[in-house]
Amino acid sequence: MKKIETAKVISQEEISSGIFSLWLENETVAGSAAAGQFVNLYCNNAGRLLPRPISLCEIDREKGRIRLVYRVQGKGTEEFSALKAGDTVKVLGPNGNGFPLDEAAGKLLYLVSGGIGIPPMLQTAKDAASAGTVSVMGYRNADIFLANDFAAHAKCVISTDDGSFGIQGNAAYALAQTAETMMPEIIFACGPKVLLAAVKKYAQENGIPCYLSMEERMACGVGACLACVCESAEVDGHTHVKNKRVCKEGPVFEAGEIVL
Amino acid sequence: MNLSVDIAGVTLKNPVMTASGTFGSGMEYADFVDLSALGAVVTKGVADVPWPGNPTPRVAETYGGMLNAIGLQNPGIDVFLERDLPFLNQFDTKVIVNVCGHSEEEYLRVVERLADAPVDMLEINISCPNVKAGGITFGTDPVATERITREVKKRAAQPVIMKLTPNVTDITVAARAAENGGADAISLINTLTGMKIDVKTRSFVLANKTGGLSGPAIKPVAVRMVYQCAQAVQIPIIGLGGITTAEDALEFILAGATAVAVGTANFFNPRATVEIIDGIADYLQQNRIEDIRSLIGAVR
Ligand SMILES: Cc1cc2nc3c(=O)[nH]c(=O)nc-3n(C[C@H](O)[C@H](O)[C@H](O)COP(=O)(O)OP(=O)(O)OC[C@H]3O[C@@H](n4cnc5c(N)ncnc54)[C@H](O)[C@@H]3O)c2cc1C
Ligand SMILES: Cc1cc2nc3c(=O)[nH]c(=O)nc-3n(C[C@H](O)[C@H](O)[C@H](O)COP(=O)(O)O)c2cc1C
Ligand code: FES
C-alpha cells in the first residue's frame, strides 16, 4: 500500500534570492520517480493542512534522493526553507505522469521554461535520449538560478524580462528567436500560463508536437477531490466532462488537449 | 469487543465511513487503505447527468481548515453505475451513494436509477453551498426539506440519509423536518459557507468567491450540532466535520452520533480512516468497554 513517506533532509541552500534547493532522501519516492512528476510536501504546522505540490528537479535513483527547487511563496514554503540537514519532512509521491521522454527520442528537443517552471526541466534534460536538447530559460532579471546545472545536458538559452541578461523578453520570445536557426522537432514547456499559451501558439503555427506542464491549486493531490482540474478540449475519459485532473492525468498534457 | 453499529437495518462493521466528495468513489484511496476495513464508503455526489463543476481556483487553505467550491463536478449516474459502483462492490464494505440535483426531479431521477443497484444506502445532499440552484435551497427551508425527503422516500429502494447544512439558525428544525418526511437517518454537518480574500491581489481566492469551510476548524460547531440534533430526533445521526483522530470521532459518538465520517483529513493523511478505526478499538480496550454502542449519546 502507498503511504506518506518520511524523507530525510540531506542538504538545503538558498541558490538565489528566495529560491531554495533541497535534497531529500527516501528510496521509495526516488526509486520510481520520473522527470516532470511532482511530490506533495506536508507542513509541520498543523494549521496548514494541505500538501504543497513541488516538481522533481533532479532524481538520484542510486542514492534514493530527490532534489526540489522552489520559491518561497507563502507560509508553507517559508516553513520548508528552514529545514536543515538531518531534519525530516513528510512527502508523498511521485505523483502525476511526467514528460513523455519516448516522444523526444532521436528528435531535437526544446525545453522552454520560465521562473519556477525551470526546475523540472533539469531532470528532463538529463533523461532525454534526444538528438540534441535546447533549454530556453526565462527569468525576471539577472538573478538567474540553475542555469549552470543545465550546461552539461543541453544547449542553454537565457532570457530576462528586463533584458539585464541574455535575450530581452520571455522564454516564448527566446524560443522563437532561437528556432529561426535551429527548428525544434518537439517542445516541452513549464511555467506561467501566459508563457504556456504563447508556446502552444508557436508550436501549433509551426506544426511542432508540444507538451505543457500545468499548475493548479490542489487539495488531495491524488485524484479524488477534483480541485485541480484544467479545461480540456474534449470530454475527458475519467471525469466525463471537459476538464482533466492536473494531479492525475497531468501535470503534463499534450498542448492540443488543453484550453488555455 | 463490538465495533459494529446499525443504521436503518444496515449493519456497518465499524462506525467509520468516508465523507462525500473527499474520497471520490474510493478508487484513488484504495492505493492507501483497504476499503474492506471501512464501515462504509460514501461516494462523491452523483447527479442524473455529468456536471462540469465550478471554475478554478476551487480550493483555498485557511488556518486549520480549507474552503472548497468544487461545484459538485461528477460524471453522472450512467458512468457511476457502469464504472464506479462495480469497483466499490468488490470490497467488503457498505456503499452509500450521495445524490445531488438542481431540482426535485433531478434528485428523483438518480434515486430511481439506483433502485435496483447494489447499493446499501442513499445520502441526499440538500446542503451543498457551492451550486446556484438546488442543493442548499432544499436544506435551508424546513418545508422544502420535509417535502423532498418524502418524495425521495416514496421512490427509494434503500434507506435514506438526509445530509443537513449548518448554514441555518437552528439545525434541529431541519433535523425534525427530515424526520417528519420519513428519513431513516440524518448526516451532519456539510460545510460552513466562507470566504477568503487575497490582500496582495485584492481579489477573491476562489473563482466562486465563496466556498465551504471544512476540516479541524469546524469540529466544535459540528459536535455541538450533532448533540443538539440527538436531543431533537429519534433517527440515527452520522456525525462529521473536522474529524482527524479517533478522539475526534469518539467526541461525535458521545455527543449522539451512531456513526462518523472522515473528510478533509483524508487530504493530509490518506490513512486517516483506518487509523481512526484502530484508535477507537484501542480506546474501547483501554477503557474496558465491550460495545461501542454503549457510547452513543452517552454524554448528556
Ligand atoms: C504540479 C505543480 C508543481 C509545482 N512545482 C513547483 C516547483 O518545482 N517549485 C516551486 O517553487 N513551486 C512549484 N509549484 C508551486 C507551489 O506548489 C506553490 O508555490 C506552493 O504550494 C505555495 O505554498 P505556500 O504555502 O508557500 O503558499 P501559500 O500561498 O501560503 O499557500 C496557500 C495554499 O495555496 C496553495 N498554492 C499557492 N500557490 C500555489 C501554486 N502556484 N500552485 C499550486 N498551489 C498553490 C498551497 O499549496 C497552499 O495549499 C508547483 C505547483 C504545482 C501544481
Ligand atoms: C473537496 C470537498 C468536496 C465535497 N463534496 C461533497 C459532495 O459532493 N457532497 C456532499 O454531500 N458533501 C460534500 N462535501 C462535504 C463533506 O462531505 C463534509 O460534509 C464536510 O467537508 C465536513 O467534513 P470534514 O471537515 O471532515 O471534511 C465536500 C467537502 C470537500 C472538502
Ligand atoms: S488535487 Fe484532488 S483531484 Fe487533484
Side-chain angles (χ1 to χ4, degrees):
Chain A
M1 289 253 154
K2 267 200 246 170
K3 62 175 172 53
I4 293 179
E5 302 285 335
T6 301
K8 199 170 97 191
V9 176
I10 299 301
S11 64
Q12 168 145 261
E13 62 174 315
E14 189 168 2
I15 57 173
S16 172
S17 163
I19 308 278
F20 288 78
S21 166
L22 176 64
W23 274 102
L24 299 176
E25 189 168 279
N26 181 284
E27 282 180 9
T28 312
V29 177
S32 58
Q37 289 188 301
F38 67 95
V39 292
N40 286 335
L41 280 193
Y42 297 83
C43 297
N44 248 327
N45 182 313
R48 294 195 274 276
L49 302 177
L50 300 180
R52 271 61 180 165
I54 305 285
S55 299
L56 297 167
C57 173
E58 278 189 87
I59 307 160
D60 183 338
R61 296 180 183 94
E62 259 162 47
K63 288 191 180 138
R65 293 177 181 177
I66 56 171
R67 182 189 189 189
L68 309 177
V69 171
Y70 62 93
R71 169 178 284 143
V72 171
Q73 183 72 31
K75 288 278 186 279
T77 44
E78 188 182 314
E79 183 188 313
F80 301 145
S81 72
L83 289 168
K84 293 194 171 53
D87 290 349
T88 59
V89 62
K90 286 190 292 174
V91 54
L92 177 66
N95 303 317
N97 59 355
F99 282 107
L101 292 171
D102 39 336
E103 296 290 327
K107 292 188 184 145
L108 178 58
L109 167 68
Y110 267 56
L111 305 174
V112 183
S113 56
I116 211 59
I118 295 169
M121 294 312 194
L122 182 52
Q123 189 63 38
T124 310
K126 287 171 73 175
D127 287 349
S130 59
T133 304
V134 179
S135 177
V136 182
M137 294 168 277
Y139 298 86
R140 285 177 194 159
N141 50 43
D143 208 0
I144 62 178
F145 56 91
L146 273 185
N148 288 338
D149 298 58
F150 278 86
H153 312 285
K155 173 181 164 19
C156 296
V157 176
I158 291 170
S159 76
T160 51
D161 294 339
D162 65 2
S164 56
F165 194 97
I167 298 171
Q168 177 164 13
N170 73 2
Y173 178 74
L175 156 70
Q177 292 288 302
T178 314
E180 276 178 18
T181 52
M182 215 177 9
M183 202 60 181
E185 291 175 297
I186 184 165
I187 302 173
F188 295 167
C190 184
K193 263 203 183 121
V194 283
L195 172 63
L196 298 184
V199 172
K200 176 180 173 175
K201 185 160 173 273
Y202 176 85
Q204 270 173 344
E205 283 168 3
N206 293 278
I208 304 164
C210 178
Y211 292 83
L212 309 175
S213 182
M214 301 289 292
E215 225 180 66
E216 195 41 80
R217 301 281 162 142
M218 298 187 176
C220 70
V222 300
C225 74
L226 303 177
C228 66
V229 298
C230 62
E231 193 183 338
S232 60
E234 305 293 334
V235 168
D236 173 61
H238 177 83
T239 65
H240 288 263
V241 293
K242 284 190 176 177
N243 69 33
K244 291 176 181 288
R245 301 171 295 182
V246 171
C247 73
K248 200 77 180 179
E249 281 79 34
V252 179
F253 297 96
E254 193 277 308
E257 284 183 291
I258 296 306
V259 178
L260 278 167
Chain B
M1 183 174 68
N2 172 54
L3 272 182
S4 73
V5 296
D6 291 315
I7 295 175
V10 178
T11 303
L12 311 183
K13 65 174 71 165
N14 62 62
V16 179
M17 46 178 89
T18 62
S20 177
T22 64
F23 212 73
S25 282
M27 226 169 268
E28 292 77 19
Y29 282 107
D31 293 344
F32 296 89
V33 293
D34 175 8
L35 302 187
S36 297
L38 305 178
V41 172
V42 182
T43 69
K44 172 74 187 166
V46 180
D48 60 342
V49 294
W51 284 14
N54 287 329
T56 59
R58 292 178 168 184
V59 290
E61 191 180 65
T62 63
Y63 200 84
M66 64 173 281
L67 294 167
N68 91 80
I70 307 293
L72 293 176
Q73 175 176 339
N74 76 90
I77 184 72
D78 290 336
V79 174
F80 178 77
L81 290 173
E82 270 160 44
R83 178 188 67 191
D84 298 343
L85 188 56
F87 174 80
L88 280 173
N89 286 146
Q90 299 171 68
F91 298 93
D92 178 21
T93 187
K94 301 297 178 195
V95 176
I96 303 179
V97 180
N98 183 281
V99 178
C100 59
H102 298 108
S103 65
E104 195 172 288
E105 294 71 44
E106 289 185 16
Y107 282 100
L108 297 179
R109 270 204 285 279
V110 180
V111 169
E112 280 169 357
R113 292 289 304 279
L114 289 166
D116 49 12
V119 161
D120 296 288
M121 289 195 249
L122 308 182
E123 180 179 62
I124 312 298
N125 177 9
I126 51 166
S127 42
C128 182
N130 300 325
V131 292
K132 297 235 151 41
I136 201 163
T137 51
F138 290 99
T140 49
D141 170 3
V143 177
T145 300
E146 186 172 334
R147 188 188 142 82
I148 192 154
T149 308
R150 184 162 290 128
E151 294 303 315
V152 166
K153 274 299 290 178
K154 274 187 207 154
R155 288 160 181 86
Q158 298 89 356
V160 171
I161 305 159
M162 298 304 288
K163 184 161 181 183
L164 306 183
T165 173
N167 300 306
V168 291
T169 313
D170 182 356
I171 196 162
T172 64
V173 174
R176 284 200 199 87
E179 186 175 47
N180 290 339
D184 298 286
I186 51 175
S187 55
L188 58 134
I189 59 178
N190 207 319
T191 53
L192 289 147
T193 309
M195 181 180 277
K196 184 171 179 174
I197 290 169
D198 185 334
V199 300
K200 278 187 226 142
T201 59
R202 296 190 199 105
S203 60
F204 301 101
V205 175
L206 296 174
N208 190 52
K209 296 186 185 170
T210 60
L213 182 64
S214 65
I218 71 170
K219 196 192 72 178
V221 177
V223 172
R224 181 263 293 178
M225 289 185 164
V226 165
Y227 175 79
Q228 287 179 312
C229 289
Q231 315 310 310
V233 297
Q234 303 301 316
I235 50 178
I237 297 170
I238 297 158
L240 72 163
I243 296 175
T244 301
T245 63
E247 196 176 322
D248 296 338
L250 287 159
E251 261 193 80
F252 280 81
I253 292 169
L254 290 166
T258 299
V260 296
V262 179
T264 301
N266 294 303
F267 300 159
F268 54 91
N269 178 8
R271 292 185 51 76
T273 45
V274 287
E275 288 176 9
I276 289 169
I277 296 165
D278 291 346
I280 294 175
D282 288 347
Y283 177 88
L284 294 190
Q285 200 157 29
Q286 277 157 19
N287 292 279
R288 299 205 163 77
I289 296 163
E290 280 299 309
D291 191 341
I292 182 83
R293 288 172 296 193
S294 67
L295 295 179
I296 299 170
V299 173
R300 283 166 181 276

